[in-house]
Amino acid sequence: MATLYTLPELPYDYVALEPVISGEIIELHHDKHHAAYVKGANDTLEQLAEARDKENWAGINGLEKSLAFHLSGHILHSIYWQNMTGDGGGEPLEKDGTGELADAIAESFGSFAKFKAQLSKAAATTQGSGWGVLAYEPVTGRLIVEQIYDHQGNVGQGSVPILVFDAWEHAFYLQYRNQKVDFVEAMWRVVNWRDVAARYTAAKERANNLLLAP
């Protein structure tokens, strides 16, 4: 079976996000952890193909959970790398070409400050491993914050992640130890708002492709 998923290259050097995230963390996170999700997704697809060929469904529950776990991990990390830049931070602004995103955040959450507080709290209080995510919800066209357990739990069906904060310990522990709150606060200094704005625009344009009826 052909390999379907590959590890994307980082859009910057390992040290590009310092001092917010150390080069050592980025290297381990990307080259080891993300790579493991890619391998896990491909391996699980092979195991599912074997189950179909042999009509052996004894392990179907575990295989489906494994595919969701590894594939979601791969997708969220692929977004995560692009969501960050060494010259990022601040907030989306009209003068930076991200005014549409800024307006959507204000409409959905009341203000940027209120949105920042909600996403920060969602990311910092995940129980165990998980993510804080800003997502486009296609039924109402509004933005929502999701608190994702592991990589795939507690997600609104059809919502499109456009900004993701990785709250797994492997994302910060070498540098921030057990101070997840400090890591989340620091993350705001490297957000690539141009990338987030582009994802917001793309999600809006494709919303009708997802839903068969209004």
Side-chain angles (χ1 to χ4, degrees):
M1 181 176 178
T3 298
L4 294 180
Y5 301 108
T6 58
L7 181 67
E9 293 186 6
L10 287 172
Y12 35 70
D13 295 334
Y14 293 134
V15 298
L17 303 179
E18 290 185 347
V20 173
I21 308 178
S22 71
E24 182 183 16
I25 287 178
I26 294 296
E27 183 176 5
L28 288 170
H29 196 169
H30 176 268
D31 296 2
K32 301 298 182 182
H33 290 280
H34 189 170
Y37 301 129
V38 172
K39 183 179 186 303
N42 287 319
D43 288 350
T44 305
L45 287 176
E46 290 186 3
Q47 293 165 17
L48 283 165
E50 182 179 356
R52 291 192 298 271
D53 291 342
K54 296 182 177 180
E55 295 187 0
N56 178 4
W57 303 113
I60 186 63
N61 287 342
L63 288 173
E64 294 292 358
K65 288 178 181 178
S66 177
L67 182 61
F69 177 82
H70 289 106
L71 182 53
S72 295
H74 171 45
I75 290 172
L76 286 171
H77 279 93
S78 297
I79 297 170
Y80 181 64
W81 307 127
Q82 299 291 336
N83 272 171
M84 298 183 290
T85 177
D87 58 357
E91 60 183 274
L93 300 170
E94 183 67 38
K95 68 182 180 67
D96 296 326
T98 55
E100 186 178 9
L101 173 64
D103 291 342
I105 287 174
E107 183 176 350
S108 296
F109 299 99
S111 69
F112 179 82
K114 291 178 180 179
F115 152 68
K116 181 179 178 181
Q118 184 177 344
L119 180 55
S120 294
K121 187 62 70 174
T125 61
T126 50
Q127 294 176 328
S129 301
W131 301 70
V133 173
L134 173 66
Y136 176 80
E137 193 280 288
V139 176
T140 61
R142 63 176 288 131
L143 295 172
I144 60 173
V145 164
E146 296 179 325
Q147 189 180 57
I148 299 178
Y149 298 108
D150 288 333
H151 298 306
Q152 73 279 18
N154 205 23
V155 174
Q157 294 298 318
S159 61
V160 180
I162 63 173
L163 173 63
V164 299
F165 278 17
D166 192 340
W168 286 63
E169 284 192 345
H170 65 237
F172 63 87
Y173 197 85
L174 282 176
Q175 185 174 354
Y176 292 86
R177 297 297 187 262
N178 62 335
Q179 299 302 314
K180 186 189 296 187
V181 172
D182 292 345
F183 171 66
V184 170
E185 183 60 32
M187 272 291 299
W188 292 100
R189 293 159 51 194
V190 294
V191 174
N192 184 349
W193 290 113
R194 290 182 182 274
D195 180 71
V196 180
R199 294 178 187 280
Y200 171 64
T201 299
K204 284 202 310 177
E205 291 174 349
R206 298 171 187 168
N208 290 333
N209 295 334
L210 175 68
L211 299 173
L212 298 180

